[in-house]
Amino acid sequence: MKKEVIRLWQDSETEVELQCYENPKTGIRPAMLVIPGGGYANVCQGHEGYPIAKRFSDIGFRSFVLIYRVAPHRFPAPQLDAYKAIEYIRNNADKLQVNPDNIAVCGFSAGGHLAASLAIFAKELGKETCAPNGVVLAYPVISSSSFGHQGSFKNLLGEDYKSKKSLYSLEKRVEKGYPATFCWHTAEDSVVPVENSLAFARSMWKAGNSCEMRIFQTGSHGLALGYGRKDISAWPQMAKEFLIHNGNFSFPDTKQGPTVVLTFDDATCNHLTTVAPLLKKYGFGATFFPCNFDKKWQQKNRQHLMTQSQLKELQELGFEIGNHTDSHPWDMTKLSEEECAREISTMNEYLRQAGVKVSNSFAYPCGIFDDNVIETVKAAGFSLGRTTIEKVWDVKKCDPMKIPAIPIMNNSYGSFYAAVSKATAEKPVVLVLHGIPEIVHAHCSNTPEFFEKMLSYLKALNCRVIGLQEAYELLK
């Protein structure tokens, strides 16, 4: 690969370089800043520099290698070099064809300590705008405890080693909000014991951060790309997949993923305050099915339902609004045809008074339907009917008045992943959600944290996430 060398500090006593490697792949891409190890005594760029950059380039990143200051330079010189490199990449993102919000650092051994320290010390050093968006650690130096690599800390801290080493033991400094981190190590590493990575991972999990830990049973320190080991050599691709699914990293050549239809029932207030902003953040569509419930329920819980003006605001944000009946009867099949028609027309009138244009989508309460109900719904002008038959929607073959859908509730990752795994671009899965969280019907609830993880996962798969009517028009 062609290389351009950038001098980061023109007045530096020691040459500090950012090596920028050309990648012929088109499009705006994530960046990977490679930080070789060397115990803060030297920079092992021969096997932990260019070869790593090339591998990450091959799998779609824009790659860079940092040649940073080491002993006799002390903290924070190496960190400032890394911040300067990230600043250069971010400030020149257009020229470099880099997504400035998708910059990861990949550090090896002591370079792993440097990479891991960047998010920790960014505020302390006034470098918040230079913090990475993702972190990859290969057999990193982390701890200054009994299993730490003391030589690295002595080189980093010099005369301050004994008095300050605990301050730079990174497993003690992790806080909530640390970037998504992928880490790998070997259990046989006798130079930097695997306990370093384990301690950091435990701190990450305890703080509620995303961290994936891969431990390979055999292998010495400094294996870089694995030296022929097929199991270890797969780690760059593992790291890429982790950053996609946990760090919101995206690549322009990602194939189109499945189609997923999101539907939300009952129109609780947090559909507007929580759900809609998150959908807009991820660029997703959805269909909302409001209802009013009966008068007794309204007297107790009306404050939890969207008002007419809020429903109009939801539609003005670009979301589809359907009909879920007025009082949400638990079984429409037990109502007379006149009662069914009244449930639908009353809700339609409520929406029209709000200035809401009702889509052609109807959601049977509790998913229960029969031919008589279907005919009443069709007579009211609806051409799409959502049930809760739990299977994929074959748009071309399925009766549009009997659209299958899968409820997702109680933060069930298993149900969510299983449902999405069945979908394709042409045969979507329709998901049914309620309040985020659902205050009144607790059995239908999902937390905002779970919901955003859902959206992040769909984004990582490059899913087409749209409303019911849009999906039908696109795929019929």
Side-chain angles (χ1 to χ4, degrees):
M1 296 187 298
K2 291 183 179 180
K3 177 177 71 174
E4 178 184 6
V5 176
I6 305 297
R7 291 289 301 274
L8 293 176
W9 305 102
Q10 295 301 321
D11 58 349
S12 176
E13 297 177 8
T14 302
E15 184 175 334
V16 176
E17 293 182 359
L18 178 64
Q19 300 174 355
C20 309
Y21 289 94
E22 182 180 291
N23 186 336
K25 295 181 179 178
T26 59
I28 303 300
R29 296 178 172 276
M32 182 62 74
L33 175 64
V34 178
I35 305 178
Y40 283 121
N42 52 69
V43 179
C44 301
Q45 60 176 308
H47 73 288
E48 293 174 349
Y50 171 77
I52 310 300
K54 185 177 186 308
R55 177 64 63 86
F56 277 114
S57 291
D58 290 343
I59 61 175
F61 288 84
R62 305 278 179 213
S63 297
F64 307 82
V65 175
L66 176 66
I67 309 301
Y68 54 96
R69 285 174 287 178
V70 295
H73 298 280
R74 311 299 185 191
F75 179 88
Q79 282 70 21
L80 293 177
D81 294 342
Y83 288 132
K84 190 71 172 177
I86 295 174
E87 180 182 49
Y88 176 86
I89 296 169
R90 207 160 262 153
N91 288 347
N92 294 275
D94 289 344
K95 182 182 76 172
L96 297 170
Q97 290 191 292
V98 160
N99 181 344
D101 298 319
N102 276 188
I103 299 176
V105 290
C106 176
F108 297 78
S109 194
H113 183 275
L114 174 50
S117 74
L118 296 177
I120 290 173
F121 296 114
K123 184 175 181 180
E124 178 181 320
L125 297 175
K127 297 295 182 180
E128 293 96 329
T129 61
C130 304
N133 308 109
V135 178
V136 178
L137 304 175
Y139 40 89
V141 173
I142 293 293
S143 180
S144 62
S145 67
S146 59
F147 54 77
H149 186 261
Q150 303 306 319
S152 293
F153 288 93
K154 290 177 181 178
N155 287 326
L156 178 65
L157 301 173
E159 294 179 356
D160 293 332
Y161 164 68
K162 289 186 178 179
S163 61
K164 293 186 176 180
K165 66 176 184 176
S166 64
L167 295 174
Y168 302 94
S169 195
L170 301 182
E171 81 279 12
K172 301 176 182 179
R173 303 293 299 271
V174 173
E175 297 180 355
K176 186 174 179 60
Y178 191 95
T181 300
F182 176 91
C183 185
W184 72 271
H185 221 117
T186 62
E188 289 184 344
D189 192 329
S190 60
V191 178
V192 178
V194 69
E195 283 79 7
N196 281 265
S197 290
L198 289 171
F200 191 77
R202 289 192 186 101
S203 295
M204 288 285 286
W205 297 327
K206 184 177 180 180
N209 301 320
S210 294
C211 181
E212 183 166 313
M213 178 77 228
R214 298 285 180 136
I215 301 176
F216 300 97
Q217 178 65 34
T218 60
S220 59
H221 185 71
L223 284 178
L225 291 175
Y227 294 108
R229 285 275 298 275
K230 289 185 178 181
D231 54 346
I232 294 178
S233 64
W235 72 260
Q237 184 64 39
M238 295 178 191
K240 176 183 176 179
E241 296 298 328
F242 171 81
L243 291 172
I244 289 173
H245 287 92
N246 297 275
N248 294 321
F249 277 53
S250 61
F251 294 79
D253 42 12
T254 302
K255 294 181 180 179
Q256 175 64 60
T259 300
V260 175
V261 176
L262 294 181
T263 65
F264 297 84
D265 287 5
D266 303 348
T268 56
C269 292
N270 54 42
H271 285 175
L272 181 63
T273 58
T274 300
V275 173
L278 286 172
L279 291 174
K280 298 298 284 187
K281 173 183 174 181
Y282 286 89
F284 292 162
T287 300
F288 291 83
F289 290 108
C291 64
N292 284 318
F293 295 99
D294 59 40
K295 290 183 179 180
K296 183 178 179 180
W297 191 96
Q298 284 192 41
Q299 288 175 354
K300 183 179 180 181
N301 300 296
R302 182 65 197 174
Q303 71 272 23
H304 300 306
L305 286 182
M306 276 192 283
T307 63
Q308 287 174 303
S309 62
Q310 289 174 322
L311 284 167
K312 183 178 181 181
E313 184 179 349
L314 189 64
Q315 184 169 71
E316 288 173 345
L317 288 171
F319 299 110
E320 298 176 10
I321 308 294
N323 187 312
H324 198 36
T325 70
D326 180 48
S327 69
H328 198 298
W330 296 110
D331 187 349
M332 287 187 75
T333 66
K334 295 182 179 180
L335 302 182
S336 68
E337 189 173 330
E338 291 74 18
E339 288 172 323
C340 287
R342 186 164 55 250
E343 285 285 348
I344 296 168
S345 63
T346 302
M347 192 63 203
N348 273 353
E349 182 59 27
Y350 179 81
L351 293 171
R352 289 192 185 99
Q353 290 175 2
V356 172
K357 181 181 179 181
V358 185
S359 73
N360 64 350
S361 302
F362 181 84
Y364 307 102
C366 304
I368 301 172
F369 64 96
D370 67 9
D371 290 343
N372 183 53
V373 171
I374 290 175
E375 290 306 313
T376 303
V377 173
K378 289 171 70 174
F382 293 97
S383 57
L384 301 175
R386 195 210 67 197
T387 73
T388 52
I389 301 171
E390 297 192 24
K391 64 179 183 179
V392 168
W393 181 18
D394 188 337
V395 181
K396 297 186 185 301
K397 295 181 179 180
C398 177
D399 182 343
M401 296 305 295
K402 300 178 183 179
I403 297 170
I406 301 175
I408 303 296
M409 54 187 69
N410 299 319
N411 295 344
S412 178
Y413 286 101
S415 297
F416 169 66
Y417 292 138
V420 174
S421 71
K422 299 172 184 176
T424 66
E426 301 300 320
K427 295 180 181 180
V429 65
V430 180
L431 304 182
V432 180
L433 298 103
H434 289 74
I436 309 293
E438 176 58 50
I439 299 170
V440 180
H441 303 112
H443 67 284
C444 299
S445 189
N446 293 291
T447 64
E449 293 77 17
F450 169 79
F451 180 60
E452 183 156 20
K453 286 184 178 180
M454 279 180 52
L455 300 186
S456 178
Y457 182 77
L458 296 176
K459 191 73 172 180
L461 293 183
N462 197 29
C463 291
R464 180 195 292 123
V465 183
I466 52 181
L468 199 68
Q469 184 174 342
E470 184 180 357
Y472 181 73
E473 293 298 328
L474 181 68
L475 301 172
K476 65 181 179 180

